Amino acid sequence: MRGRWIVACASVAIGVSSLGGVAVAARPSQESPTPAGEWAHSVCGVLVNWRGDVERAATDATNSTQKARKLSASAKVKQTKQAIGAFLGVAMDGTATAEENLRAIGGPPVANSADVEDALLASFDQLASFFKSSRDRTQTVSTKNAKQAQGKLSSIAEAIITQSDEVQSLMNSAVAKDASGGLSGAIAAEPLCADVLGGAA
């Protein structure tokens, strides 16, 4: 089906860092949260908000491409290019905001706090750079030849799939840098963190 790849692109982008199962609604905090628990709650709250931004952008992009189904091939590919560009623009902004918020939270209360924080920030820095390069690539796609344009835009969408795996690996390795294991326990105990850091929890 035409347009399936942009839907896949949006869906995969939502799942970056394994955020698919995170509950958006805030949960009551623990009565006497440990410092590590407070850190996990704050960080996962940032990630949930980030996911919401990307999810809304993906929904808008998907709706836009679906509305273009009855257009000519030329008009359809132009609409698709615009939708991908808009999606990546919002994803860039949301990722930059998340990175700023994570930086403000700082590292967790563990011995090698800086290592964990640096690795976590690195994952978002990499993602922000990737979204920017993808948007730049999208903007340079010529729509004069609809078939060629669709092929190039498909390539951009497929690259997001690959990137999602790399970023998830970085996110997981960030938590794994806590040799004590206490951070993983705090994440496992925090409702907002459900599935956020995948196998690290």
Side-chain angles (χ1 to χ4, degrees):
M1 178 188 299
R2 289 180 179 269
R4 282 180 58 186
W5 53 268
I6 179 57
V7 176
C9 165
S11 298
V12 170
I14 293 170
V16 172
S17 306
S18 296
L19 295 178
V22 179
V24 176
R27 305 284 185 87
S29 60
Q30 302 170 11
E31 290 183 7
S32 301
T34 63
E38 293 176 348
W39 183 86
H41 180 81
S42 297
V43 167
C44 292
V46 168
L47 297 180
V48 168
N49 289 335
W50 172 78
R51 174 205 170 201
D53 290 341
V54 176
E55 184 177 36
R56 284 187 290 275
T59 299
D60 290 344
T62 300
N63 290 339
S64 180
T65 55
Q66 288 178 341
K67 290 178 180 178
R69 285 180 179 176
K70 296 181 179 180
L71 300 178
S72 66
S74 176
K76 187 179 300 181
V77 77
K78 289 178 181 178
Q79 182 77 1
T80 300
K81 174 182 175 179
Q82 183 178 10
I84 293 178
F87 165 74
L88 290 169
V90 174
M92 282 171 55
D93 291 342
T95 302
T97 297
E99 187 173 357
E100 290 176 6
N101 291 337
L102 290 173
R103 197 179 300 279
I105 292 170
V110 296
N112 52 338
S113 174
D115 293 337
V116 176
E117 180 184 7
D118 288 347
L120 188 63
L121 291 173
S123 66
F124 270 80
D125 186 56
Q126 177 176 321
L127 186 58
S129 296
F130 176 77
F131 280 144
K132 182 180 184 305
S133 64
S134 295
R135 189 182 66 169
D136 291 344
R137 286 180 59 198
T138 301
Q139 291 175 337
T140 62
V141 173
S142 171
T143 57
K144 291 182 178 179
N145 183 309
K147 186 176 181 179
Q148 289 182 0
Q150 182 173 336
K152 291 179 179 179
L153 293 172
S154 294
S155 177
I156 293 171
E158 290 167 3
I160 291 179
I161 298 174
T162 301
Q163 182 69 10
S164 69
D165 293 335
E166 294 177 1
V167 173
Q168 180 180 339
S169 178
L170 277 172
M171 295 284 285
N172 289 341
S173 66
V175 176
K177 290 183 181 297
D178 170 28
S180 71
L183 193 55
S184 292
I187 289 172
E190 170 53 54
L192 282 176
C193 292
D195 295 330
V196 171
L197 294 177

